[in-house]
Amino acid sequence: MPTVTTPDGAEIFYKDWGEGPPVVLAHGWPLHADSWQAQQLFLAANGFRAIAHDRRGHGRSTQTWHGNDMDTYADDLAHLIETLDLHGVTLVGFSTGGGEVARYLGRHGTGRVRGLVLVSAVPPFMLRTDDNPGGVPIEVFDEIRRGSLADRSQTYRDLADGPFFGGNRPGQAPSQGIRDAFWLQGMQSGHRNALECIAAFSATDFRPDLDAVSAAGLPTLVIHGDDDQVVPIAVGGRASAERIEGATLTVYPGAPHGITDTHPQQLSTDLLAFCKEISA
């Protein structure tokens, strides 16, 4: 399996498909690179080099005991980009992966990056605090932690059957296959890794990272469903688009959180159009 080895010895698995301008895809929690398979295949078939990696602790990458935080995830991503010597990268982050790519830009700059796409992403800041009163209460994340410790397998099943793909909404019927894939990918993550990642995606403040993106004038596309029950659009997509000067917000009406699977063709088409526009 293709991997890069980080300075602390973690092996980061990646899939590298196609030829052309590079697009690097960062996945959500508790998933891995396969969650991008529809978009990766589409981009690679349409003139782009599409690269998707498994975050440390997830999928086929090393289940390290430490390093389950956004700074380390961003540094791992930087190591991957530098090892593959990628330039002119379009960074695409879904959910937690949106935090990973935002923190990469905040820590490592935009020198190798041509554009940014945030999809159902956790930035700017999910957690409700005194200076972020519109955020999500910590009790929501504590409940996910309790469920993960009590019965991780069932917790992932409940997320897949319910809010992640909108199956708890009238008229929404995500396929059994989509839901099973979420559960399988989740169970391939390390228990400690996935547990600590809950704090990483919920309690990390990405506002300074988005400010750095804005200051750099990096072309940015924000895509979010307006029925996202995991990262509400007001907390995620709209707030990010408002914070990044010049960002374009594309809203998928009635769409849930997991639009990589529920809206694969629409998302693939939107990603391709953006990648072509900034690569012209």
Side-chain angles (χ1 to χ4, degrees):
M1 298 193 302
T3 62
V4 297
T5 303
T6 67
D8 71 346
E11 292 189 345
I12 305 299
F13 169 84
Y14 67 96
K15 301 193 296 183
D16 189 346
W17 297 353
E19 297 179 353
V23 182
V24 175
L25 304 146
H27 63 81
W29 174 93
L31 307 173
H32 57 62
D34 289 2
S35 62
W36 279 117
Q37 60 187 351
Q39 290 74 39
Q40 189 178 13
L41 180 63
F42 187 83
L43 290 168
N46 283 277
F48 286 86
R49 181 183 179 187
I51 300 164
H53 64 291
D54 292 356
R55 187 176 303 117
R56 71 164 59 209
H58 298 70
R60 293 140 292 200
S61 292
T62 304
Q63 294 183 8
T64 56
W65 186 251
H66 300 292
N68 306 303
D69 58 83
M70 281 293 166
D71 286 354
T72 306
Y73 298 156
D75 292 349
D76 289 348
L77 177 58
H79 189 73
L80 174 67
I81 290 171
E82 290 162 10
T83 300
L84 298 181
D85 195 24
L86 304 179
H87 296 271
V89 177
T90 301
L91 284 176
V92 184
F94 167 74
S95 194
T96 299
E100 180 181 341
V101 298
R103 181 52 51 93
Y104 165 86
L105 292 166
R107 283 173 70 82
H108 297 277
T110 61
R112 291 177 177 262
V113 180
R114 177 172 285 144
L116 170 66
V117 186
L118 298 174
V119 181
S120 305
V122 298
F125 187 20
M126 281 200 73
L127 186 65
R128 179 180 295 173
T129 60
D130 289 344
D131 71 341
N132 190 43
V136 178
I138 194 171
E139 289 79 11
V140 172
F141 307 112
D142 287 343
E143 182 61 29
I144 300 173
R145 278 184 275 264
R146 281 193 293 271
S148 296
L149 289 169
D151 189 342
R152 187 163 77 116
S153 181
Q154 189 60 48
T155 295
Y156 294 165
R157 174 60 66 198
D158 292 343
L159 284 168
D161 290 347
F164 201 91
F165 299 113
N168 56 344
R169 297 299 204 208
Q172 301 294 326
S175 73
Q176 187 69 52
I178 285 174
R179 291 178 282 141
D180 286 350
F182 178 98
W183 175 86
L184 177 61
Q185 290 178 40
M187 293 306 295
Q188 289 174 316
S189 66
H191 194 356
R192 174 180 168 91
N193 306 103
L195 184 66
E196 292 197 335
C197 189
I198 297 168
F201 74 68
S202 65
T204 302
D205 185 351
F206 301 103
R207 290 175 292 189
D209 304 298
L210 297 192
D211 290 345
V213 171
S214 187
L218 191 68
T220 301
L221 172 64
V222 180
I223 301 175
H224 219 104
D226 67 6
D227 193 31
D228 189 329
Q229 302 168 70
V230 178
V231 183
I233 189 171
V235 174
R238 291 196 191 281
S240 287
E242 290 171 1
R243 195 166 192 101
I244 301 172
E245 185 175 354
T248 298
L249 174 63
T250 297
V251 178
Y252 289 7
H257 186 64
I259 56 177
T260 50
D261 286 304
T262 61
H263 294 64
Q265 189 59 48
Q266 184 177 358
L267 179 58
S268 295
T269 300
D270 286 343
L271 290 178
L272 180 63
F274 179 77
C275 290
K276 284 185 173 180
E277 179 183 353
I278 65 173
S279 298

